Amino acid sequence: MKTADPELMRAINRYLVIDVIRRHGPIARVEIVERTELSRATISAITGGLIDEGLIHVRHFDAAEGGNDAASRGRPRVMLELNGVAYRVVGVKLSLHRISIAVTDFRGDVLRDLVIPVRIARQTPEVVADLVEDGVRQGVADAGLTMADISGVGIGLPGVIDGVAGVSHESPVLGLSPVPFADFMRQRLGVPVLLENDANLVALAEHWFGHARDRDSFVVVTVEDTIGMGLFIDGKLYRGAHGVGAELGHVKMRLDGPLCRCGQPGCLDTLASDAGVIEAARNAGYLATDDRRQSSELIASLLSRARSGEAGPAALFRTAGEALGLAIANVLNMLNPPLIIISGEGLRAGTLLTEPLLAVLDRLSLPALRAATEVIFHPWGDESWARGAATIVLRRIYETPLNASPT
Ligand SMILES: [Zn+2]
């Protein structure tokens, strides 16, 4: 890598070292050398700098405690680990009916989390920002901290989100017009704020502490109020031309069909998202058109009817599962990722959804490609989403060159 910018190389190496310490700490320097394949001198320089910055600290283990290799027994070992209190951050997940918040330390361990059940879908973006501000301040206070202790806030939400500019272009939560929501929150909270599409957030979090810890390429599909996709390629999140990324929910399944939120026909969202299932249930007469319960309650009632043997409601989830299977088969045939993680609240339908999904996926993906792709289902709780939102800030701090503050 002769041509690489030396400052960039230093920043990348620093990130690698912090990440190895986070994943494997407490860890000896010699093991960091092995895992990063960087030189001893480089590791010494980077870890020395990180100790000076207060990001990692040294722990001395007795022979009895640490060290499971025979060579180290009998003498104390010097191990390095992240200094949890070096930074504290907040993660927020916005969905139609609640705000989930997690306050974490520098290791990503949750200090405090809370869920605020509030219908935010019909509020203006300013009101949503006020609600998020109140929730963040509450979570920070509950964790025994003040906003001055907080280095940044990460916010995940569904929709077409420009994670680079911090703008929501189109979201079921913030509406169809562009909203500079990261700016809204920065003005209210006085700390750096990062905005991210929620499927990207799950992809980052799976890579950080989930099923994709040791994977450089994988796909996450989230089944929620809308269908989302996070695409991780060669160690990086793919963001497309405008910082947005992949919009699986608007992949076209047919030339006509019901109109999607986006104004176009035939989108996967109209077939497989919660909103799509509810619309289909109304059209088929399984739900009254004037039933104003929250979408999660409507889905729950359809699910209980399907589970008690009603064929009509069960067919709705089968149709949704088959549509997902078809869309994911296309993703698999196009990209052949080594791992596909399917996540989100939609998995509460269980085998009503996953069995038809897998059946179609197996039938429509090329056998050689299918055999090379692992597919797993990973339902997430609210606190995992919020913790994932916190990790987008932590990642940014890890990536920031020495002594610069995160932005
Ligand atoms: Zn659409």
Side-chain angles (χ1 to χ4, degrees):
M1 296 272 277
K2 269 186 220 153
T3 54
D5 169 0
E7 196 161 322
L8 179 66
M9 287 307 295
R10 265 199 298 277
I12 291 170
N13 290 342
R14 177 179 185 270
Y15 175 80
L16 277 176
V17 171
I18 301 181
D19 202 44
V20 163
I21 296 172
R22 180 186 70 80
R23 286 164 189 266
H24 305 287
I27 181 172
R29 280 191 181 86
V30 59
E31 200 187 333
I32 302 174
V33 170
E34 281 163 20
R35 288 189 177 273
T36 59
E37 297 182 357
L38 296 169
S39 72
R40 279 169 177 273
T42 303
I43 295 299
S44 284
I46 293 174
T47 55
L50 294 174
I51 290 169
D52 289 346
E53 285 179 78
L55 299 188
I56 63 174
H57 54 214
V58 175
R59 275 176 66 187
H60 297 274
F61 281 83
D62 293 340
E65 282 184 83
N68 35 21
D69 60 311
S72 69
R73 287 200 193 110
R75 58 193 165 92
R77 302 213 326 152
V78 174
M79 309 284 269
L80 301 173
E81 67 178 1
L82 290 189
N83 180 14
V85 300
Y87 286 97
R88 263 74 58 109
V89 303
V90 181
V92 180
K93 159 78 157 98
L94 294 181
S95 12
L96 289 175
H97 305 296
R98 66 185 160 267
I99 302 171
S100 313
I101 292 165
V103 182
T104 85
D105 67 10
F106 188 48
R107 287 189 289 258
D109 293 337
V110 175
L111 305 172
R112 185 79 200 185
D113 57 26
L114 69 150
V115 173
I116 304 167
V118 53
R119 280 195 196 216
I120 56 179
R122 293 193 189 88
Q123 310 295 338
T124 65
E126 285 80 4
V127 171
V128 176
D130 289 342
L131 292 167
V132 173
E133 180 190 0
D134 291 347
V136 169
R137 290 186 184 281
Q138 178 72 50
V140 169
D142 288 352
L145 303 169
T146 70
M147 281 309 294
D149 300 313
I150 301 300
S151 300
V153 175
I155 301 175
L157 71 166
V160 180
I161 310 299
D162 181 340
V164 177
V167 173
S168 165
H169 287 287
E170 189 246 284
S171 166
V173 175
L174 294 177
L176 299 177
S177 311
V179 178
F181 198 69
D183 277 344
F184 281 21
M185 295 315 306
R186 190 156 38 231
Q187 284 157 13
R188 284 169 173 77
L189 294 168
V191 296
V193 176
L194 297 175
L195 207 61
E196 189 59 85
N197 167 273
D198 58 1
N200 285 349
L201 180 158
V202 175
L204 289 166
E206 290 283 8
H207 190 242
W208 186 273
F209 56 75
H211 288 284
R213 285 172 77 121
D214 299 312
R215 309 293 188 112
D216 281 338
S217 299
F218 63 96
V219 167
V220 164
V221 174
T222 53
V223 187
E224 297 255 314
D225 293 310
T226 61
I227 311 295
M229 181 161 116
L231 190 52
F232 224 80
I233 301 175
D234 295 337
K236 282 187 69 176
L237 189 66
Y238 177 76
R239 288 185 184 279
H242 294 286
V244 173
E247 279 299 309
L248 190 65
H250 301 285
V251 159
K252 303 301 183 268
M253 306 291 285
R254 45 194 284 188
L255 282 168
D256 52 10
L259 285 186
C260 173
R261 272 173 309 120
C262 71
Q264 297 175 351
C267 291
L268 176 62
D269 264 4
T270 65
L271 296 169
S273 68
D274 285 357
V277 170
I278 289 166
E279 182 68 19
R282 287 194 169 121
N283 291 338
Y286 305 133
L287 288 174
T289 45
D290 58 354
D291 192 335
R292 288 281 139 228
R293 283 178 292 169
Q294 295 187 358
S295 60
S296 55
E297 293 168 45
L298 295 175
I299 293 283
S301 84
L302 288 169
L303 267 179
S304 78
R305 287 167 63 182
R307 288 195 175 113
S308 66
E310 268 191 72
L316 297 172
F317 294 101
R318 186 167 63 242
T319 303
E322 287 173 346
L324 280 166
L326 171 55
I328 295 169
N330 285 334
V331 170
L332 197 156
N333 289 335
M334 201 175 353
L335 301 172
N336 193 206
L339 172 66
I340 297 177
I341 301 169
I342 303 167
S343 188
E345 218 181 342
L347 295 186
R348 64 197 174 306
T351 52
L352 285 170
L353 184 93
T354 58
E355 275 179 3
L357 188 163
L358 284 173
V360 170
L361 176 62
D362 290 345
R363 187 154 51 85
L364 298 183
S365 43
L366 301 179
L369 304 184
R370 177 68 186 89
T373 300
E374 185 186 356
V375 176
I376 53 181
F377 295 99
H378 184 203
W380 270 46
D382 285 320
E383 67 299 331
S384 303
W385 282 98
R387 187 183 178 205
T391 66
I392 63 177
V393 186
L394 290 174
R395 283 180 62 97
R396 185 65 68 89
I397 294 171
Y398 282 28
E399 287 165 0
T400 306
L402 301 170
N403 295 322
S405 53
T407 52

